[in-house]
Amino acid sequence: MKTLALVGNPNCGKTTLFNQLTGTTAYVGNWPGVTVEKKEGIWNGNRVLDLPGIYSLSPYSPEEKLTRRYILDEGPDLIIDLIDATNLERSLYLTTQLAELGHPVLLVLNMGDLLEKEGITINTKTLSMMTGCHVVQISASKGEGLEAFSREVEKVLDENKLPALPLFSNSVEKYISQIVSDDFIHNIPIGRPQRWASIKLLEDDELFLSTMPPIPEETAKTLQEARIALQNHYGDDIEAIIIDQRYKVAEKISADCQTRIAQKKKFSFDTIATSKWGAIPLFIAIMAGVFYLSIGLVGGITTSWLESGFDWLGQSLHTFLHMMGVLPLLSGLLIDGIIAGVGSVLTFVPQLFVLFLLLSILEDCGYMARIAFIMDRLMRSIGLSGKSIIPMVIGTGCSVPAIMCTRTIEHQKQRELTVVVTPFIPCGAKMPVFALMITYFFPGRWYIAPLVYFVGILAVIITGLLSQALDKHKEKNAFILELPRYQIPTAKNVWLQTKERIRGFILKAGTVILLSSAIIYLLQSYSFTFQSVEADSSMLALIGKLIAPLFIPLGFGFWQASVALLTGIAAKESIVSTLSVTIGSAGLSSFFTPASALSFMVFILLSSPCIAALSAMAKELGSRKKFFFAILWQTGFAYLAALLSYGLGSLIL
């Protein structure tokens, strides 16, 4: 079985091609940095790897290091260099580095369907001749050109021919040749070609040097003399010189094989979406519209219907089971436990479906990447990276992939701070809690839902400012983000993203929530001596009463709410089912007031996330001390914010 590695710049379509080849449904987003781990699949008997996007093999971020490490250490049989055909010159910069790694390379010009629209023509024969690689043109999103792609892959694997090496100016090549002829170069690790290793030694590449034995004094002297000579000749540092040499090669290839017809200037939506004064109001208006349509309109219509449907199901089943003479315990477990618990969560599926659908459309059309751009200045002012907004947007679906996505942030402190604050953005699992409280205590006030999101954003800002104030060694860095082109959202991508998110929600309802509903019902039906008792004397009540006093200042100091918060550690959706089972026919209004409902929502919004997200946090932070501090901060901040919300709510509501 041969191994094929999909390599290319971020957002060039690698994951789309991977899905087309392997039939999988890996997440595809119209912004850079979606892939943060390598994905594996099988195609035509070959092992296919989708590696994180990189611009260079001199990486800075963790996912770029992962791609470089894999190519060098694992040695794929074929590197499939996926190129955005509309950005040929920029993409060829990476190609000049891949050509030096000693593996066959296939150049795949993706997004070929856009070339005519942008007035671009690429001579693939000239490109193949100049790079020494086979070239094929496809459109991964439309599935065009895949048969030709398959034929070219087989050809390149059969030929096992290496690409042409990029040649730099005579001055640079002279010193590269000197280093190649040095005896020390024979000490390089297996899988590192001599020319590539010589360039890395010349660049003083830290990652490469960490894999080498100590450099002999004579070799170190030769390297230093070469660096000084080149710096004096070109008037720049050695890394910038090599970068410039590569871009000159890419520029020459691009100029010789590409022609571009000037297009008439058209109106660009970015004149509003990224403008100084219009960007933020537009973002607020769009998000308000999303929540109005999902929570206000759809939620207002479907919630009462579904609640009535589950009530009818419970009553009908109760009558049937009574006629069949089923034990009251089993009847209660099924009706008051499982149906009441799971049904209370499934009631919110329609509005969550619309929410996920609209967010997927915004992602696929390219608008969400603009949010990262316009939020960059704010993010940097609070100690975060502009890239931090991307995990936060992904976090509206689920915090787990959002926390993993922080790997795209180069600087450690910014990355760790993003891990801590990302759970402040409400994920899909928290939405049923908010929808429940808004439906019962704030009917017709659809704006409460976006207000909850803005509370989460405010928590991010406050945490960032405090971190910034306490940090004596502030990291300052420029934020570079390629804005993807706007596109009409593809039905397949939008459907896959929406389906995966809603499927995960429904699966939890059928597994974790079903099990927790049954356990909650049994625990509230028996005492520790396993005697059937009233709910207030049950095991569950006694457990809840131990911690309930902590929440009295927040307005929900009763055991039912405490138990709901405990079950929420397993899955936030369980909070709704637990409240449904423990409160039952008494109704939420018998326990909550509008002020305490608001406080309850704020606490759930800001407190530590579910166990799966906590595991992701522990992995990404890589330190027990940092992990426990993150939990302490999230919980403490949530408590204070809920306390403030309850006080203000009592005065206003």
Side-chain angles (χ1 to χ4, degrees):
M1 182 183 288
K2 302 287 187 180
T3 300
L4 318 178
L6 295 176
V7 183
N9 293 165
N11 208 45
C12 69
K14 294 185 304 302
T15 303
T16 304
L17 178 59
F18 178 79
N19 288 344
Q20 288 279 10
L21 297 179
T22 62
T24 54
T25 55
Y27 174 55
V28 178
N30 189 19
W31 55 27
V34 168
T35 304
V36 292
E37 291 184 324
K38 65 182 175 70
K39 301 183 180 75
E40 297 189 21
I42 303 296
W43 170 71
N44 283 1
N46 298 308
R47 179 169 166 250
V48 183
L49 298 177
D50 176 21
L51 297 174
I54 56 173
Y55 289 108
S56 167
L57 287 175
S58 298
Y60 298 98
S61 64
E63 83 281 0
E64 290 179 329
K65 291 176 184 176
L66 184 152
T67 297
R68 165 168 154 166
R69 188 168 59 247
Y70 176 80
I71 295 173
L72 292 174
D73 295 342
E74 302 296 327
D77 297 290
L78 171 62
I79 295 174
I80 298 174
D81 182 12
L82 208 64
I83 290 174
D84 177 353
T86 63
N87 285 298
L88 183 63
E89 182 181 324
R90 187 205 62 201
S91 302
L92 287 172
Y93 175 78
L94 177 61
T95 306
T96 66
Q97 299 177 75
L98 296 174
E100 296 170 340
L101 298 182
H103 300 290
V105 176
L106 171 64
L107 298 187
V108 180
L109 302 177
N110 191 26
M111 307 182 193
D113 54 311
L114 298 176
L115 291 177
E116 187 176 345
K117 292 179 183 177
E118 300 196 15
I120 301 172
T121 305
I122 296 176
N123 188 322
T124 55
K125 289 184 179 178
T126 304
L127 180 60
S128 178
M129 182 185 68
M130 296 185 75
T131 59
C133 302
H134 284 260
V135 180
V136 63
Q137 186 170 303
I138 69 167
S139 173
S141 63
K142 295 185 176 180
E144 296 173 356
L146 296 184
E147 288 185 11
F149 167 80
S150 180
R151 290 194 297 268
E152 292 300 325
V153 168
E154 293 303 321
K155 248 188 233 181
V156 178
L157 287 173
D158 289 341
E159 292 176 4
N160 199 31
K161 178 185 171 185
L162 299 182
L165 295 173
L167 293 177
F168 303 147
S169 66
N170 291 335
S171 303
V172 177
E173 287 293 336
K174 179 179 74 172
Y175 290 107
I176 292 175
S177 299
Q178 281 184 14
I179 300 168
V180 168
S181 62
D182 193 292
D183 290 338
F184 177 69
I185 207 69
H186 298 295
N187 295 318
I188 61 175
I190 296 173
R192 272 68 165 171
Q194 290 186 353
R195 177 184 172 84
W196 180 83
S198 300
I199 294 172
K200 292 294 122 182
L201 286 172
L202 190 60
E203 288 180 319
D204 201 22
D205 186 289
E206 290 182 7
L207 276 178
F208 176 70
L209 292 176
S210 66
T211 66
M212 295 286 287
I215 300 176
E217 187 176 336
E218 190 67 28
T219 303
K221 183 180 177 183
T222 301
L223 288 169
Q224 189 59 25
E225 288 175 353
R227 291 181 193 123
I228 291 171
L230 288 171
Q231 286 168 357
N232 290 338
H233 182 78
Y234 289 99
D236 211 338
D237 66 82
I238 190 65
E239 188 176 3
I241 292 168
I242 298 298
I243 289 172
D244 182 61
Q245 292 292 309
R246 293 193 185 281
Y247 269 116
K248 282 180 178 175
V249 172
E251 183 182 3
K252 169 66 176 169
I253 296 172
S254 177
D256 287 355
C257 67
Q258 176 183 252
T259 55
R260 188 186 289 263
I261 301 170
Q263 300 289 296
K264 291 182 180 179
K265 195 170 182 180
K266 299 177 182 177
F267 169 77
S268 173
F269 185 63
D270 278 340
T271 55
I272 302 172
T274 60
S275 67
K276 185 176 181 180
W277 303 111
I280 297 296
L282 177 65
F283 173 59
I284 293 172
I286 288 174
M287 295 311 293
V290 166
F291 287 113
Y292 170 71
L293 289 173
S294 57
I295 306 297
L297 187 61
V298 175
I301 295 170
T302 61
T303 302
S304 58
W305 290 357
L306 288 171
E307 282 181 346
S308 300
F310 282 111
D311 286 342
W312 174 84
L313 177 62
Q315 291 169 9
S316 301
L317 194 58
H318 179 270
T319 303
F320 174 75
L321 294 177
H322 181 71
M323 289 172 57
M324 297 296 293
V326 175
L327 290 173
L329 174 62
L330 294 178
S331 175
L333 176 63
L334 183 60
I335 297 166
D336 297 327
I338 294 173
I339 291 179
V342 175
S344 63
V345 173
L346 293 180
T347 298
F348 302 103
V349 166
Q351 52 192 292
L352 287 179
F353 178 83
V354 174
L355 176 64
F356 293 152
L357 176 69
L358 295 174
L359 290 177
S360 296
I361 290 172
L362 290 176
E363 290 172 18
D364 206 50
C365 74
Y367 177 69
M368 284 303 190
R370 271 74 186 172
I371 302 304
F373 175 77
I374 63 177
M375 295 294 283
D376 172 49
R377 181 172 294 181
L378 172 63
M379 289 293 163
R380 281 189 287 122
S381 69
I382 61 175
L384 292 168
S385 162
K387 286 185 179 180
S388 298
I389 196 68
I390 296 175
M392 293 179 196
V393 172
I394 293 175
T396 58
C398 179
S399 294
V400 177
I403 291 168
M404 292 172 63
C405 195
T406 58
R407 296 175 193 176
T408 61
I409 300 169
E410 291 86 353
H411 295 279
Q412 182 181 353
K413 290 179 182 176
Q414 293 177 338
R415 186 164 61 250
E416 290 173 351
L417 182 56
T418 306
V419 169
V420 174
V421 301
T422 292
F424 287 155
I425 304 302
C427 63
K430 295 176 182 177
M431 287 307 298
V433 183
F434 304 148
L436 177 71
M437 294 299 174
I438 291 170
T439 300
Y440 275 89
F441 297 101
F442 307 100
R445 302 184 193 179
W446 59 269
Y447 54 84
I448 296 292
L451 185 62
V452 168
Y453 270 73
F454 287 120
V455 169
I457 293 171
L458 185 62
V460 171
I461 293 171
I462 293 171
T463 302
L465 289 174
L466 286 173
S467 174
Q468 183 89 326
L470 296 172
D471 185 12
K472 296 179 181 178
H473 306 285
K474 297 177 174 62
E475 292 175 335
K476 293 183 179 179
N477 62 294
F479 173 50
I480 301 174
L481 174 70
E482 177 194 356
L483 292 180
R485 65 179 57 82
Y486 286 110
Q487 64 181 28
I488 297 173
T490 59
K492 182 179 178 182
N493 281 348
V494 170
W495 167 245
L496 285 176
Q497 291 178 43
T498 306
K499 185 186 76 171
E500 285 302 305
R501 288 170 172 175
I502 205 70
R503 187 168 71 98
F505 180 80
I506 294 173
L507 281 176
K508 275 189 181 179
T511 53
V512 177
I513 296 169
L514 187 149
L515 182 62
S516 65
S517 297
I519 292 172
I520 291 296
Y521 178 79
L522 292 173
L523 288 176
Q524 77 158 2
S525 300
Y526 289 92
S527 66
F528 282 103
T529 58
F530 297 102
Q531 299 294 315
S532 181
V533 294
E534 292 296 321
D536 278 339
S537 305
S538 65
M539 288 186 275
L540 194 65
L542 292 176
I543 294 169
K545 288 173 182 177
L546 287 176
I547 60 172
L550 293 173
F551 302 107
I552 291 174
L554 308 186
F556 48 89
F558 43 91
W559 67 266
Q560 291 90 341
S562 303
V563 169
L565 293 175
L566 288 176
T567 60
I569 296 173
K572 294 300 178 185
E573 300 97 330
S574 297
I575 294 173
V576 173
S577 60
T578 302
L579 288 175
S580 178
V581 173
T582 55
I583 291 177
S585 59
L588 288 174
S589 56
S590 301
F591 293 85
F592 288 96
T593 63
S596 63
L598 179 64
S599 172
F600 191 67
M601 285 193 291
V602 169
F603 186 81
I604 290 167
L605 168 69
L606 303 176
S607 59
S608 296
C610 67
I611 192 69
L614 288 173
S615 298
M617 282 176 57
K619 183 179 179 182
E620 298 305 320
L621 290 173
S623 161
R624 287 186 180 180
K625 183 180 177 182
K626 292 175 182 176
F627 174 62
F628 286 118
F629 175 78
I631 294 175
L632 184 64
W633 172 256
Q634 290 167 344
T635 306
F637 193 95
Y639 192 93
L640 292 175
L643 182 64
L644 181 62
S645 300
Y646 183 58
L648 290 174
S650 298
L651 294 174
I652 299 170
L653 299 174

